[in-house]
Amino acid sequence: MMFLIATAAAHVPHDAILAVAPPLTLTAAEPWYMTMSPHGTALFYESDSGGTTWDLLGGPHTGTELVGLARLADGSLAALTGPSVWVSADGRAWTNAVLPETAAAVQGVGNEVAFAGDTCLWTGPALGPYTCAVTGAVTALGPDAAVVDGHVVAFDGTTWNDVDAPASDLSAVLSTGDTTFAGTASGELFRYDGAWTACGAIPAGDARYPDIVRLAWTGDALLVATATVGPYRSEDACASFEDRGTGEPVLYGQEGGPGGVSEATVFLAGEGEDWVTAGWAGLYVTADAGASWTEAPVFTADYVQIGRAHV
């Protein structure tokens, strides 16, 4: 399996994996992509040895910090800088397009993209033209779902449908097509399949940081990551959860610690028993539904490790 990583120059003060973009089918024999907070030009590294050695590739020379990275169904990449997007089919050659407004997040939606703007949920081909699919400020963007002006909107393959909101502090959303899930900054989780109902309690991590930050669907189970631990798995329609975490909790308030809950888990995905999670504690993969995890060595030799930070 081939991996591709984008990282920053060695003066970056803390490790901040920004996004991971594996194939939509995790077990496909295709490259994986990842970017780290670059504070300038993104440097993309490629691995054809399972992550043990890295080769430097050219990246999108943005002149500004990358905000997000998305994988489309056709395998192409969309790297968001905020006011513009860079698109590539292979992580080597990139084409730029300016967005209608500065965006805070990007998500692949089939062969198109969705951008989180202050006035609209923008959608369309990666290089445009873009359409305002839903008017309002987008405060959360997840697989086939978003929070716009406090309401959850879910994509049914054709239309973004407003399904109202189960709470006021929504922080993460996901739609499977049949069911929509929404998590909150206070650690509550809800499901919608015609009406909103509360899910079972998520096991407590650090009570100071209860935020639900990422949701993923494996095809038959829901994965949930909080700001400190996870993922948790539910196989009973979110009635109960079991800890399938990596064993590396996110530690705040120490040298090299995360700058906020947004850096805790920045990516979570699963297909059957193959899962991947990434964030402040590193990049981990499992092929047995979290019974065991392997940490991918995503840093090159010119980084010095301080705790979980690399400088």
Side-chain angles (χ1 to χ4, degrees):
M1 180 178 290
M2 183 179 294
F3 294 83
L4 186 82
I5 177 174
T7 185
H11 69 274
V12 174
H14 57 81
D15 118 7
I17 295 175
L18 180 64
V20 182
L24 299 188
T25 300
L26 287 181
T27 55
E30 300 175 15
W32 288 41
Y33 299 88
M34 182 170 68
T35 184
M36 296 180 66
S37 183
H39 297 278
T41 297
L43 303 177
F44 280 76
Y45 290 85
E46 184 179 70
S47 172
D48 58 3
S49 59
T52 58
T53 59
W54 298 95
D55 296 315
L56 178 65
L57 298 177
H61 300 289
T62 64
T64 186
E65 184 174 346
L66 289 180
V67 175
L69 181 69
R71 190 73 171 261
L72 279 61
D74 62 7
S76 60
L77 297 168
L80 176 65
T81 68
S84 64
V85 62
W86 293 77
V87 179
S88 174
D90 58 6
R92 293 166 172 80
W94 296 82
T95 303
N96 176 249
V98 176
L99 300 178
E101 65 173 327
T102 297
V106 59
Q107 181 76 42
V109 182
N111 281 326
E112 297 193 343
V113 290
F115 296 106
D118 286 336
T119 66
C120 277
L121 173 64
W122 298 96
T123 63
L127 290 172
Y130 310 109
T131 300
C132 180
V134 184
T135 301
V138 183
T139 53
L141 181 61
D144 288 337
V147 178
V148 184
D149 277 354
H151 283 217
V152 178
V153 293
F155 188 62
D156 64 9
T158 304
T159 305
W160 291 84
N161 300 295
D162 188 334
V163 294
D164 206 347
S168 60
D169 58 341
L170 298 173
S171 56
V173 286
L174 160 76
S175 177
T176 69
D178 297 320
T179 305
T180 300
F181 297 94
T184 72
S186 53
E188 296 178 293
L189 184 67
F190 301 87
R191 60 171 288 159
Y192 179 90
D193 47 11
W196 286 106
T197 57
C199 295
I202 305 295
D206 187 331
R208 298 172 299 168
Y209 306 99
D211 312 56
I212 293 175
V213 295
R214 294 286 164 181
L215 303 172
W217 182 250
T218 70
D220 55 13
L222 176 68
L223 304 182
V224 179
T226 73
T228 54
V229 286
Y232 296 102
R233 178 179 67 175
S234 175
E235 296 182 294
D236 56 9
C238 81
S240 64
F241 291 87
E242 60 176 328
D243 186 355
R244 308 297 284 182
T246 63
E248 290 289 348
V250 179
L251 303 175
Y252 295 88
Q254 66 176 28
E255 182 180 7
V261 298
S262 63
E263 293 180 7
T265 298
V266 298
F267 185 79
L268 179 64
E271 180 189 3
E273 294 192 343
D274 292 283
W275 308 348
V276 57
T277 182
W280 174 81
L283 171 65
Y284 294 82
V285 294
T286 178
D288 53 17
S292 62
W293 291 88
T294 300
E295 181 177 9
V298 298
F299 297 97
T300 52
D302 58 343
Y303 281 79
V304 176
Q305 184 169 349
I306 303 174
R308 298 299 303 177
H310 296 74
V311 297

